[in-house]
Amino acid sequence: MEQTGQSGSRVESDVAPHAATADEVLAYLTRHPGILADHPDLVSLLTPPEHRHGAGVVDMQQFMLQRLQADVARLKGQQRALISTSRSNLTSQTRIHAAVLALLGATSFEQLIQTVTTDLAVLLDVDVVTLCVESDTGPLPRPPLPGVQLLPPGEVDRLLGQGKDSLLEDEVRGDPALFGSGAGLVHSEALLRLSIGSHAPAGILALGSRKPHKFKAGQGTELLCFLAQALEITIFQWLDIEA
């Protein structure tokens, strides 16, 4: 250890750094009884006492065992959650891929609409799928095809929000304007914007489920938006709409 003398020069000091004694450590721990809770990593560094009998003896081995058991249980819980999420994501990806292949396999525009409004419900494990399109022809006429719902102009932006591509909601009552006669089955929904072209009306691919938490805010929408984009391209090609 160095000290500065009166002349400003450094001189060596013979004073060794103070090492805490066992009594000082014990006194500190007594004043701070929660130190193991604040610094649980210390438990793995301590030498546990052997099992002994006698008044006032604390079984640190039992304490450490309980701590380790809690850590193992927590890690197993995280592992199960991760595996469950991975399996769910893989299942969703498989379903979306099958749905896109079904769209590509349509041999006519009518079959494409039928695939959307019937087959996709089975492929995506939902209860109702409809194709909603804005119409500016005055009072809304009867939908031309089953599963196709007509919306007033501007309704897509009102429902989804300006510039937003999707809306997921849980614990809802299905809107007949979106889901038609199947609205009573809907307790959670995914609404996906369809932008087919600047010369085509705005639309929504509406997915409804009887499960209240099938779709919910904060859920990832990448796969669902991919499905909507695939449908946009397919409709665009069948109708030969100007971009």
Side-chain angles (χ1 to χ4, degrees):
M1 178 177 177
E2 294 182 343
Q3 294 181 339
T4 303
Q6 294 180 350
S7 61
S9 61
R10 294 182 177 273
V11 297
E12 295 294 330
S13 171
D14 295 333
V15 180
H18 174 70
T21 65
D23 289 339
E24 290 173 335
V25 173
L26 180 59
Y28 179 84
L29 293 177
T30 302
R31 294 194 305 270
H32 300 82
I35 190 169
L36 288 180
D38 297 334
H39 303 279
D41 53 306
L42 289 178
V43 174
S44 61
L45 302 176
L46 299 176
T47 302
E50 297 179 355
H51 286 287
R52 292 174 295 182
H53 300 281
V57 176
V58 179
D59 190 351
M60 283 292 292
Q61 283 184 328
Q62 184 65 23
F63 170 77
M64 295 175 66
L65 178 60
Q66 292 175 350
R67 170 79 68 174
L68 292 174
Q69 288 174 336
D71 288 343
V72 170
R74 176 178 55 80
L75 292 174
K76 284 185 175 180
Q78 292 176 347
Q79 183 185 49
R80 285 192 295 267
L82 180 60
I83 292 174
S84 177
T85 300
S86 299
R87 287 176 176 172
S88 177
N89 290 341
L90 181 59
T91 299
S92 297
Q93 180 176 320
T94 301
R95 290 185 179 279
I96 294 295
H97 287 172
V100 171
L101 290 177
L103 298 179
L104 297 178
T107 57
S108 67
F109 181 71
E110 290 72 19
Q111 184 182 357
L112 173 65
I113 299 302
Q114 182 179 5
T115 298
V116 172
T117 58
T118 57
D119 298 345
L120 288 195
V122 176
L123 294 173
L124 299 176
D125 188 29
V126 296
D127 295 283
V128 187
V129 178
T130 60
L131 184 60
C132 307
V133 182
E134 290 185 358
S135 174
D136 57 359
T137 58
L140 295 180
R142 182 181 179 87
L145 295 171
V148 176
Q149 299 294 120
L150 299 181
L151 303 175
E155 188 70 0
V156 173
D157 281 338
R158 189 189 72 80
L159 290 170
L160 299 184
Q162 187 76 30
K164 293 185 178 180
D165 293 328
S166 62
L167 174 68
L168 274 60
E169 294 185 302
D170 60 347
E171 297 184 341
V172 298
R173 291 185 178 182
D175 185 350
L178 294 174
F179 296 102
S181 59
L185 297 174
V186 177
H187 295 289
S188 65
E189 63 186 17
L191 307 181
L192 310 171
R193 183 186 294 271
L194 296 176
S195 300
I196 300 169
S198 59
H199 294 81
I204 289 178
L205 176 63
L207 312 178
S209 173
R210 69 179 70 217
K211 301 176 183 177
H213 303 291
K214 173 75 173 182
F215 303 109
K216 54 187 176 181
Q219 183 178 340
T221 60
E222 291 83 0
L223 288 172
L224 291 175
C225 288
F226 170 72
L227 173 63
Q229 291 170 357
L231 179 57
E232 289 172 356
I233 295 172
T234 308
I235 293 176
F236 180 85
Q237 291 177 335
W238 274 112
L239 297 183
D240 193 23
I241 301 173
E242 292 185 27

